Amino acid sequence: MKYLIFSDTHLTPKFEPKKFEVLKSAIEQVDRVIINGDFWEGMAYSFNDFVTSTWAKELFPLLKKKQAIYLFGNHDKESLADSRTNLFSGRQMKQYNFKSGKNTYFVEHGDLLLHLPELPAFSRVILESVENIIFKILGKTFIRFAYSRFNNHIKNKITGRFKENEFLVTGHTHFAEIDTDSRYINSGFNNYGIAQYLFIEGGKVTAVENRY
């Protein structure tokens, strides 16, 4: 079975055709999809606005067809949603484990291991606008400078927790990484024209990055 894991799409009611096409292409290549948190931007928009947007027509059927596993994050908390999560997923939870090849993957958004400040809606919108401008100027150098330290915090916290063939997979930090020595994998983020996600098949993890 081939898995797709993506996180931190932070979708809003505004439909983004280019972002959709990248997600669609990835989803159509796999047997099972795991949405690893922060699927929609619950700090600035309501769940109703999201599930009645164009995303519901275009993206939701693709995810539902794969019976997607939806893991809640810190921007899309379970308390912010309702039973309409069933429109785009087959199961909903905070953590999900599965085996692929000889390996076991423990998947969670990452907010249980690393608490980041929660900004009010207007601050969140302003921050995203500023980050978008900085990212266009500095590219991935900005992401590494701003977010790599968060991965290190998580890796320090899980030291000794996982065996040789066990790996923790999170999103949350917006910094894609595969660190087999630390038994840690991060699926990255999908924003500012960059799409990062993971394919896992037969115990092999492939990190993908596309621009849109």
Side-chain angles (χ1 to χ4, degrees), residues 23 37 55 69 80 113 117 136 167:
L23 292 171
W55 291 110
I69 304 295
L80 298 175
L113 294 165
K136 286 180 179 178
F167 298 89

Side-chain angles (χ1 to χ4, degrees), residues 4-159:
L4 165 67
I5 302 178
F6 69 84
S7 62
D8 299 275
T9 46
H10 293 276
L11 300 180
T12 74
K14 180 182 178 181
F15 185 67
E16 301 174 72
K18 292 181 180 179
K19 192 172 190 175
F20 166 71
E21 289 299 331
V22 171
L23 292 171
K24 177 183 177 183
S25 176
I27 292 166
E28 290 179 338
Q29 296 179 55
V30 301
D31 305 296
R32 176 60 53 84
V33 177
I34 301 174
I35 307 169
N36 196 12
D38 287 3
F39 180 46
W40 62 284
E41 185 46 71
M43 289 189 178
Y45 305 92
S46 74
F47 187 62
N48 185 68
D49 288 341
F50 174 54
V51 298
T52 57
S53 69
T54 304
W55 291 110
K57 177 183 177 182
E58 301 294 337
L59 181 61
F60 288 10
L62 301 176
L63 293 168
K64 187 67 175 180
K65 183 178 179 180
K66 304 294 182 177
Q67 287 296 298
I69 304 295
Y70 175 38
L71 306 184
F72 298 103
N74 58 310
H75 282 245
D76 57 352
K77 297 177 181 178
E78 184 175 5
S79 60
L80 298 175
D82 56 41
S83 61
R84 287 176 292 177
T85 54
N86 289 315
L87 293 174
F88 56 81
S89 58
R91 297 170 62 188
Q92 307 86 31
M93 59 198 76
K94 281 291 291 184
Q95 299 168 307
Y96 180 71
N97 308 334
F98 69 95
K99 291 198 70 171
S100 179
K102 296 180 179 180
N103 298 331
T104 300
Y105 299 92
F106 298 81
V107 190
E108 60 180 85
H109 180 62
D111 54 313
L112 299 177
L113 294 165
L114 174 68
H115 177 73
L116 297 175
E118 296 185 1
L119 302 175
F122 72 92
S123 297
R124 175 68 190 175
V125 173
I126 293 173
L127 177 62
E128 284 203 351
S129 298
V130 172
E131 283 191 342
N132 191 20
I133 294 171
I134 296 175
F135 182 77
K136 286 180 179 178
I137 297 171
L138 299 179
K140 292 178 65 177
T141 300
F142 164 66
I143 298 297
R144 178 175 293 278
F145 172 78
Y147 298 120
S148 62
R149 66 186 188 277
F150 296 136
N151 281 17
N152 293 333
H153 176 90
I154 293 177
K155 286 188 281 188
N156 289 335
K157 202 163 187 177
I158 66 170
T159 299

